[in-house]
């Protein structure tokens, strides 16, 4: 029965991704549309072309020696390193919105200031991000590095790449190392979100690899002994605690791991005493890390103001706005924020929730959740292309033709995303081995989706922790799919279909992909922090 339950979690996750596949292929322009999009036929034909190329790579991997395969892995690893270092050195993001406040506060803390911006009275959830970044900035300033942004980019890339290493550990364990390991590294090399979030100075990069890291460490904890087991165990405790204190929505990761541990005990995959020891360690670590961050905030001069903080229910009310697909909306935020007391804020938010639920009704809510699902999942770049639109430093050619490059990047990224979704769906429906680790990843996917689609405000970047999961499952799925063996007639038919699709695509692209010169915008004119007026700052 428990085994069927694990398969059920995987099938449910596959069902969600099946809907996502349709949204991402046929109607990405309906959700969060700020980009130039190619027609769906182009995306689908390009995705099919990628699948044929991947099929050829799979066949090639089966016909080479283990030594040659290992050299291929080393070669791709070298390309990943070169590409990430080049991007880290040449692209410095101009911080905007929340990142603007976090970065400025981190600089102030690193320089010894204990005065906090009014923003953090309203948004206490970003205090820990500012504290963590200030540690690195202070360390680098102490080393004489006056502009540490390039170093921080490199550190961010190094941390994101731990997700790749964890994914490779799991694929090695899943016994489809050839070609899944190479395909995952190739996916990482070509992933626009990896590069974009590597230079985006916010906590999204911090939480991006956590699910795969915890899954890999969890496997080591169960299968190793002695100091190796407990080193892996401490690693899971620290990662779960760090994820939660940096982004509270990652409580779903903690819940998924706890459910997985319980299922392992029921399936007799681990001893109940070992599970209890792990549970105690995780609870103690979470408490200590939370206490540490609270103490650090007080030590650095931060004091919460209960009357100014925005209540949790205000975000739920915002998420139920059908006119904005549940995304952040200033017209929802400011009336609640400007209400004087916490009780009044909660009352206003509760009334908004009630009125919107009654106004939409059951069918309206279903349609609204569908819209939120599209915002959350339909874009394969996870909004990376919009988030890093302005730069302190970037190659001049890229700046001048930024829209042109973004169009092509989005086309290729979205098509690769479709191919990954197809592989993930196949893997989740067909997986019968290693159900524990796969089910844990499915639970994370289902939990974070439910949290943002059914309850909370939604943005594409909130789904970023799920991208490495989709990468892993997609590459494993490509590896386990039946090899495409085509005779002459079938090759001819496929060639004609692809030729016609390519022709239609080229005609569309000739109309859309024009080099558009984008004038450089002065940093002073970017409106950094302008969305958050400081009207009440004289009161704090």
């Amino acid at each position: 029965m428990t085994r069927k339950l694990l398969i059920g979690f995987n099938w449910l996750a596959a069902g969600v991704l099946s809907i996502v596949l349709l949204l991402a292929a046929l109607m990405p322009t309906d959700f969060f549309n700020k980009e130039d999009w190619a027609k769906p036929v182009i995306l689908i034909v390009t995705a099919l072309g990628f699948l044929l190329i991947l099929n050829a790579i799979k066949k090639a991997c089966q016909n080479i020696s283990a030594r040659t395969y290992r050299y291929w892995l080393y070669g791709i690893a070298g390309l990943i390193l070169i590409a990430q270092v080049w991007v880290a050195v040449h692209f410095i993001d101009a911080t905007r919105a929340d990142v603007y406040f976090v970065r400025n506060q981190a600089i102030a803390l690193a320089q010894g200031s204990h005065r906090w911006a009014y923003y953090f009275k309203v948004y206490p959830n970003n205090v820990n991000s500012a504290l963590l970044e200030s540690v690195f900035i202070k360390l680098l300033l102490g080393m004489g590095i006056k502009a540490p942004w390039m170093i921080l980019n490199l550190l961010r890339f190094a941390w994101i790449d731990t997700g790749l290493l964890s994914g490779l550990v799991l694929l090695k364990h899943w016994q489809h190392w050839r070609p899944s390991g190479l395909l995952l590294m190739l996916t990482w090399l070509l992933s626009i979100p990896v590069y974009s979030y590597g230079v985006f100075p916010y906590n999204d990069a911090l939480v991006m690899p956590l699910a795969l890291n915890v899954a890999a460490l969890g496997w080591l904890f169960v299968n190793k002994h002695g100091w190796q087991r407990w080193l892996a165990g401490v690693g899971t405790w620290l990662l779960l605690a760090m994820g939660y204190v940096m982004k509270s929505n990652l409580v779903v990761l903690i819940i998924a791991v706890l459910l997985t541990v319980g299922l392992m005990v029921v399936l007799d995959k681990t001893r109940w005493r070992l599970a209890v020891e792990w549970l105690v360690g995780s609870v103690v670590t979470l408490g200590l890390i939370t206490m540490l961050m609270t103490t650090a905030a007080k030590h650095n001069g931060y004091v919460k103001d209960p009357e100014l903080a925005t209540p949790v229910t205000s975000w739920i009310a915002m998420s139920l706005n059908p006119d904005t697909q549940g995304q952040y909306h200033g017209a929802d935020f400011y009336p609640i924020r400007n209400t004087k007391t916490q009780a009044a804020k909660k009352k206003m938010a509760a009334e908004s929730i009630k009125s919107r639920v009654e106004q939409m009704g059951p069918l309206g809510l279903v349609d609204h959740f569908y819209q939120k699902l599209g915002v959350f999942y339909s874009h394969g770049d996870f909004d990376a292309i919009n988030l890093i639109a302005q730069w302190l430093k970037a190659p001049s050619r890229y700046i001048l033709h930024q829209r042109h490059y973004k169009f092509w990047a989005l086309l290729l990224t979205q098509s690769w995303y479709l191919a990954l979704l197809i592989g993930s769906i196949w893997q989740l429906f067909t997986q019968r081995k290693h159900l524990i680790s796969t089910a844990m990843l499915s639970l994370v996917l289902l939990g974070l989706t439910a949290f943002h689609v059914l309850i909370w405000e939604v943005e594409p970047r909130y789904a970023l922790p799920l991208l490495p999961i989709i990468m892993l499952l997609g590459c494993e799925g490509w590896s386990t799919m039946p090899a495409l063996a085509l005779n002459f007639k079938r090759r001819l038919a496929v060639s004609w279909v692809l030729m016609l699709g390519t022709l239609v695509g080229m005609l569309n692209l000739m109309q859309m992909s024009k080099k558009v010169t984008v004038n450089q915008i002065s940093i002073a004119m970017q409106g950094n922090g302008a969305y958050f007026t400081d009207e009440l700052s004289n009161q704090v």
Side-chain angles (χ1 to χ4, degrees):
M1 182 63 186
T2 306
R3 180 180 171 84
K4 290 182 179 179
L5 182 62
L6 296 176
I7 294 173
F9 288 141
N10 291 339
W11 281 26
L12 185 57
V16 170
L17 292 185
S18 298
I19 300 172
V20 171
L21 177 62
L22 295 176
L23 297 177
L26 301 177
M27 53 193 75
T29 55
D30 293 350
F31 310 102
F32 202 73
N33 185 30
K34 294 183 179 181
E35 303 96 350
D36 294 328
W37 280 92
K39 296 291 181 63
V41 64
I42 302 175
L43 298 175
I44 294 170
V45 168
T46 307
L48 292 175
F50 282 148
L51 287 173
L52 288 174
I53 293 171
L54 292 166
N55 186 67
I57 294 173
K58 178 180 176 179
K59 288 183 178 180
C61 289
Q62 293 170 349
N63 295 325
I64 61 175
S65 67
R67 184 178 183 181
T68 302
Y69 182 72
R70 189 163 58 249
Y71 285 153
W72 283 14
L73 295 181
Y74 292 154
I76 295 178
L79 291 175
I80 291 173
L81 180 62
I82 292 170
Q84 290 184 354
V85 169
W86 187 87
V87 171
V89 170
H90 289 87
F91 288 86
I92 305 297
D93 180 59
T95 55
R96 300 176 299 158
D98 296 299
V99 188
Y100 169 81
F101 291 101
V102 171
R103 168 58 56 83
N104 283 356
Q105 189 64 51
I107 294 172
L109 292 173
Q111 294 175 337
S113 172
H114 284 185
R115 179 177 177 82
W116 286 77
Y118 171 70
Y119 165 91
F120 291 96
K121 302 293 184 180
V122 180
Y123 289 101
N125 54 302
N126 277 329
V127 169
N128 290 339
S129 294
L131 288 169
L132 182 63
E133 187 168 354
S134 72
V135 172
F136 289 102
I137 293 176
K138 185 175 182 178
L139 178 64
L140 293 172
L141 290 176
M143 296 169 61
I145 302 173
K146 295 183 178 180
W149 319 127
M150 181 187 72
I151 305 297
L152 291 176
N153 282 350
L154 291 170
L155 292 174
R156 210 173 292 115
F157 274 120
W159 175 250
I160 289 175
D161 286 343
T162 62
L164 173 59
L165 295 176
S166 296
L168 293 175
V169 168
L170 291 171
L171 291 177
K172 192 88 171 180
H173 165 56
W174 287 355
Q175 299 172 349
H176 292 100
W177 181 242
R178 294 174 60 175
S180 61
L182 184 142
L183 293 176
L184 180 60
M185 294 183 71
L186 185 62
T187 298
W188 212 266
L189 173 66
L190 301 177
S191 175
I192 294 299
V194 167
Y195 296 104
S196 299
Y197 282 99
V199 296
F200 183 57
Y202 201 34
N203 53 23
D204 296 284
L206 184 69
V207 301
M208 180 178 176
L210 288 187
L212 294 192
N213 289 347
V214 170
L217 287 171
W219 179 83
L220 292 172
F221 179 75
V222 172
N223 291 279
K224 298 295 181 180
H225 300 279
W227 67 268
Q228 291 178 312
R229 162 174 287 174
W230 290 108
L231 184 62
V234 171
T236 61
W237 303 339
L238 290 173
L239 291 179
L240 289 172
M242 180 183 68
Y244 176 72
V245 298
M246 290 300 162
K247 272 191 178 294
S248 55
N249 62 353
L250 284 194
V251 66
V252 300
L253 177 58
I254 296 176
I255 294 172
V257 173
L258 292 177
L259 287 174
T260 304
V261 171
L263 290 168
M264 289 178 68
V265 173
V266 173
L267 283 170
D268 201 26
K269 295 293 184 180
T270 190
R271 294 178 291 107
W272 69 267
R273 286 185 179 179
L274 184 63
V276 170
E277 289 171 355
W278 181 89
L279 178 62
V280 171
S282 63
V283 171
V284 170
T285 303
L286 179 60
L288 290 175
I289 294 294
T290 303
M291 189 184 306
L292 175 65
M293 298 307 296
T294 302
T295 303
K298 290 181 179 179
H299 178 73
N300 283 277
Y302 180 76
V303 179
K304 284 186 177 181
D305 190 326
E307 299 302 325
L308 293 179
T310 309
V312 168
T313 48
S314 68
W315 301 105
I316 299 174
M318 187 186 300
S319 78
L320 290 169
N321 188 336
D323 297 329
T324 61
Q325 299 173 306
Q327 300 171 65
Y328 176 89
H329 190 48
D332 285 330
F333 169 72
Y334 279 105
I336 295 177
R337 169 205 157 178
N338 293 334
T339 303
K340 300 299 182 184
T341 66
Q342 187 68 198
K345 294 179 199 288
K346 291 180 179 178
K347 181 180 178 181
M348 181 179 291
E351 291 173 350
S352 177
I353 292 171
K354 183 179 178 181
S355 65
R356 283 177 172 170
V357 170
E358 291 176 349
Q359 180 184 356
M360 285 188 284
L363 292 179
L365 277 173
V366 171
D367 179 66
H368 182 58
F369 294 148
Y370 163 81
Q371 295 290 327
K372 291 180 71 178
L373 183 69
V375 173
F376 195 58
Y377 268 129
S378 66
H379 289 197
D381 71 320
F382 292 77
D383 201 32
I385 285 176
N386 282 319
L387 286 173
I388 50 170
Q390 297 164 341
W391 305 95
L392 291 173
K393 177 185 177 183
S396 58
R397 180 176 175 80
Y398 177 82
I399 293 292
L400 292 173
H401 303 290
Q402 190 169 180
R403 186 176 178 184
H404 172 71
Y405 289 129
K406 285 183 174 181
F407 171 80
W408 287 102
L410 189 61
L411 167 61
L412 298 176
T413 297
Q414 192 73 6
S415 299
W416 196 273
Y417 181 55
L418 295 179
L420 283 169
L421 287 171
I422 291 170
S424 298
I425 293 165
W426 169 270
Q427 187 62 27
L428 288 169
F429 273 130
T430 61
Q431 181 97 353
R432 292 299 180 271
K433 296 181 179 180
H434 315 298
L435 287 172
I436 290 288
S437 52
T438 310
M440 193 214 90
L441 298 177
S442 293
L443 286 169
V444 175
L445 188 148
L446 292 170
L448 199 62
T449 301
F451 182 85
H452 282 288
V453 172
L454 302 181
I455 302 173
W456 208 253
E457 173 215 357
V458 65
E459 289 184 27
R461 67 182 178 86
Y462 295 157
L464 188 64
L466 303 181
L467 175 58
I469 296 176
I470 294 172
M471 286 178 168
L472 179 79
L473 295 175
C475 293
E476 180 71 0
W478 294 340
S479 301
T480 57
M481 280 180 179
L484 186 61
L486 299 176
N487 57 29
F488 176 76
K489 289 184 178 180
R490 289 178 179 176
R491 282 200 303 269
L492 190 63
V494 170
S495 298
W496 273 106
V497 170
L498 289 177
M499 284 177 62
L500 289 174
T502 303
L503 178 61
V504 173
M506 290 302 296
L507 291 174
N508 278 279
L509 292 176
M510 286 172 63
Q511 298 175 8
M512 297 181 66
S513 178
K514 298 179 181 179
K515 289 188 177 181
V516 180
T517 300
V518 180
N519 295 326
Q520 294 194 55
I521 303 173
S522 168
I523 298 299
M525 297 297 291
Q526 289 177 357
N528 285 345
Y531 81 102
F532 185 92
T533 54
D534 210 7
E535 297 167 357
L536 305 178
S537 60
N538 59 340
Q539 299 179 13
V540 297

